[in-house]
Amino acid sequence: MARKEYDVFVIGTGTAGKTVAFDCAEEGMKVAIADNREFGGTCPNRGCDPKKVLVGITEAMQLSENLKGKGIVSVPKISWKDLQKFKSTFTDAVPASTEKKLKEAGIEMFHQSPKFLNENTLSVEGKSVKAKKIVIATGQKPMELKIPGREHLKVSDDFLELEELPESIVFVGAGYIGMEFAHIAARCSAKVTIVEFGPRPLAPFETDIVSHLTKASEELGIKFIFNAKVSEVEKLQKNFRVSFEKNGKTESVDARMVFNTAGRVPSIDELDLEKGNVAFEKSGISVNEFLQNTTNKSVYACGDVSASGALPLTPTSSQEARIVSLNIRNGNHTKMDFPPVPSVVFTIPQLASIGLTEAEAKEKGYDFVVEYKSVPKWFNAKRINDDVYAYKTIVDKKRNIVLGAHIIASEAGEMINLFVLAMCGKLTTENIKAMIFAYPTWGNDIKGMV
């Protein structure tokens, strides 16, 4: 049998991978795509989309809690079983729908992770295939904690599929995933503990703003154990015991279930990259300004798996896919040039950020002014009886433009998008204040933040 040959072979069917595949197929190229998991990728199947569905029900509950006695008589109870059933209406159809669209586009599908045999040849499903261009878009996966008892640790996929919520949970790691799931679990009546290696949650975010979230989380009932290095997970009769080193001593905490939320790493270990002469590093596939691999010019990488320096978020994956798609179809003409990228932690309240933190602005040598205020008396917080609302903005003194914006609020995720517009458009603070927004809206409040 003749070896199959393709113009483009894409590894990964998430946001980045399928975008490149569809674009190239539409251009008339012979395209194949492979995945060792459900087609559609992390975000719609087991990531941001189903997570946000779970968050939604807790938002309704929290709003009722805030307004209890202000017109709300009693706070509703959450049925975890019904919530999971509702969530499945968003996820169940994704793999089949993705495969149907790929088939209609004439893209050949493989249900296995390929391995490189040489620079342009892959082994997949027992077949040897050749491709002029190979796109790696395999995303990230949970980082393995190399400790005794690690086989007892669950990961985010498991949390999203829980048939019943355990009465107590330990999350190892206070990043995005740990904090978001902790808030969901705590509002659904679980006793939650977070064990974190560092001195606070969400290390990349602005310290002053995170402090408000830490306090709000503690008031929700979440217990934090900071500066603690987890050393072992032991199975007991009913519970699991998590041992950790703190201040030179070994301590422990017990729970019915333990989740590894210590972070994610590039999903590249099954690819045999060395055989393909594909350079890689800790943050993923090494790429140049065209998102082309630095050692194998036939290979491109996009999405969370590329070491491009961009935040590992769905919107940046889409942007990187666009760049790779253009460069494969038209030659290397399109360089990475990312606009300011916002990020949101979907806890309650939400924490949102874009641009530089105060520490980063100092490090880069900017002459800037900082405005940091806690404003729970502003109307939008008062009308929902929410006592957590704060912001921090960093403004360049010379150009009078926003260098960074950081918000904790019920609707911080929507508010930060207005700062995206302001920063991408290089609007001055005078430009922002001169705009007329609908009132009373959360968006209108940004004029008081600069």
Side-chain angles (χ1 to χ4, degrees):
M1 184 185 291
R3 174 189 293 173
K4 289 196 172 186
E5 296 192 9
Y6 301 95
D7 295 310
V8 180
F9 196 107
V10 180
I11 310 173
T13 60
T15 301
K18 67 185 179 185
T19 297
V20 175
F22 283 130
D23 286 353
C24 292
E26 190 175 346
E27 197 86 357
M29 295 179 173
K30 188 177 181 182
V31 180
I33 195 165
D35 206 318
N36 64 347
R37 295 199 61 176
E38 308 93 336
F39 273 40
T42 297
C43 190
N45 280 308
R46 53 190 179 271
C48 35
D49 289 357
K51 172 202 71 183
K52 192 70 186 296
V53 175
L54 300 189
V55 169
I57 201 81
T58 63
E59 288 174 334
M61 183 182 183
Q62 185 60 50
L63 185 56
S64 297
E65 184 73 54
N66 289 354
L67 295 174
K68 186 179 179 182
K70 312 293 182 186
I72 296 292
V73 175
S74 62
V75 177
K77 292 182 179 180
I78 291 176
S79 165
W80 183 263
K81 184 178 179 180
D82 289 344
L83 175 56
Q84 286 286 38
K85 190 183 294 184
F86 179 53
K87 182 220 69 181
S88 69
T89 65
F90 292 84
T91 57
D92 285 355
V94 170
S97 174
T98 304
E99 291 196 37
K100 182 183 178 184
K101 290 174 183 176
L102 290 165
K103 185 178 180 181
E104 289 173 349
I107 297 166
E108 189 166 349
M109 291 172 279
F110 293 88
H111 294 80
Q112 189 186 67
S113 180
K115 297 180 184 295
F116 278 89
L117 298 176
N118 58 45
E119 289 198 350
N120 291 88
T121 311
L122 299 166
S123 172
V124 59
E125 291 185 356
K127 305 178 183 73
S128 177
V129 301
K130 192 165 185 175
K132 294 175 185 175
K133 303 293 182 186
I134 297 170
V135 179
I136 301 174
T138 48
Q140 295 184 337
K141 63 180 183 178
M143 175 178 67
E144 183 182 18
L145 290 177
K146 296 182 178 179
I147 57 173
R150 60 183 175 272
E151 67 273 12
H152 302 309
L153 292 166
K154 303 290 187 182
V155 294
S156 58
D157 296 19
D158 302 310
F159 184 88
L160 290 169
E161 294 299 326
L162 284 175
E163 291 184 8
E164 293 182 7
L165 190 70
E167 61 185 45
S168 57
I169 300 176
V170 168
F171 292 98
V172 180
Y176 284 89
I177 298 171
M179 290 296 289
E180 290 172 343
F181 285 178
H183 270 241
I184 293 169
R187 285 190 172 86
C188 292
S189 76
K191 179 184 177 184
V192 175
T193 303
I194 300 179
V195 183
E196 165 59 32
F197 181 76
R200 67 177 179 93
L202 301 165
F205 288 82
E206 181 62 56
T207 305
D208 290 326
I209 300 299
V210 171
S211 67
H212 290 274
L213 182 58
T214 304
K215 183 181 178 184
S217 302
E218 290 171 335
E219 290 175 353
L220 178 61
I222 296 170
K223 180 184 178 182
F224 289 100
I225 303 173
F226 294 124
N227 300 304
K229 183 180 180 181
V230 173
S231 54
E232 184 179 5
V233 180
E234 180 186 359
K235 190 178 189 312
L236 306 177
Q237 190 171 355
K238 287 185 177 180
N239 294 327
F240 293 91
R241 176 161 294 157
V242 180
S243 297
F244 54 89
E245 306 296 326
K246 181 178 172 67
N247 298 325
K249 296 179 182 179
T250 300
E251 301 178 41
S252 65
V253 58
D254 295 352
R256 288 293 174 88
M257 202 168 282
V258 186
F259 287 87
N260 171 13
T261 53
R264 295 173 69 83
V265 294
S267 185
I268 57 177
D269 54 329
E270 296 183 18
L271 300 177
D272 284 353
L273 296 173
E274 294 87 349
K275 290 183 180 178
N277 189 31
V278 179
F280 61 95
E281 53 203 86
K282 186 178 179 181
S283 56
I285 304 295
S286 304
V287 292
N288 61 20
E289 58 194 352
F290 302 109
L291 294 177
Q292 181 183 43
N293 186 236
T294 53
T295 51
N296 182 345
K297 301 305 180 185
S298 299
V299 170
Y300 290 80
C302 51
D304 296 357
V305 76
S306 77
S308 64
L311 291 171
L313 303 170
T314 298
T316 54
S317 293
S318 299
Q319 184 84 331
E320 290 192 5
R322 185 186 69 82
I323 293 167
V324 167
S325 170
L326 288 168
N327 288 333
I328 287 177
R329 291 179 290 138
N330 304 324
N332 286 351
H333 297 299
T334 307
K335 297 180 181 180
M336 278 192 300
D337 183 21
F338 288 101
V341 178
S343 54
V344 182
V345 184
F346 289 104
T347 47
I348 302 174
Q350 298 171 0
L351 192 153
S353 176
I354 185 170
L356 303 179
T357 62
E358 182 179 357
E360 289 168 341
K362 284 179 183 175
E363 188 180 323
K364 291 179 180 292
Y366 283 104
D367 184 15
F368 61 91
V369 60
V370 174
E371 185 169 325
Y372 165 51
K373 288 182 181 177
S374 176
V375 288
K377 299 300 183 186
W378 282 12
F379 176 77
N380 283 301
K382 282 183 71 177
R383 74 174 180 82
I384 59 171
N385 198 34
D386 196 344
D387 59 0
V388 184
Y389 188 9
Y391 68 89
K392 188 172 191 177
T393 50
I394 295 104
V395 174
D396 187 307
K397 279 185 179 179
K398 294 178 182 176
R399 296 173 294 167
N400 208 24
I401 60 173
V402 178
L403 297 174
H406 314 274
I407 308 169
I408 183 166
S410 175
E411 296 294 336
E414 297 297 337
M415 297 172 73
I416 207 69
N417 287 327
L418 294 179
F419 278 108
V420 174
L421 291 172
M423 291 176 69
C424 286
K426 292 184 169 53
L427 302 182
T428 65
T429 58
E430 286 87 355
N431 294 148
I432 296 170
K433 287 179 179 295
M435 290 182 175
I436 298 176
F437 294 111
Y439 179 85
T441 61
W442 288 93
N444 185 70
D445 283 359
I446 76 160
K447 295 200 292 182
M449 295 180 177
V450 293

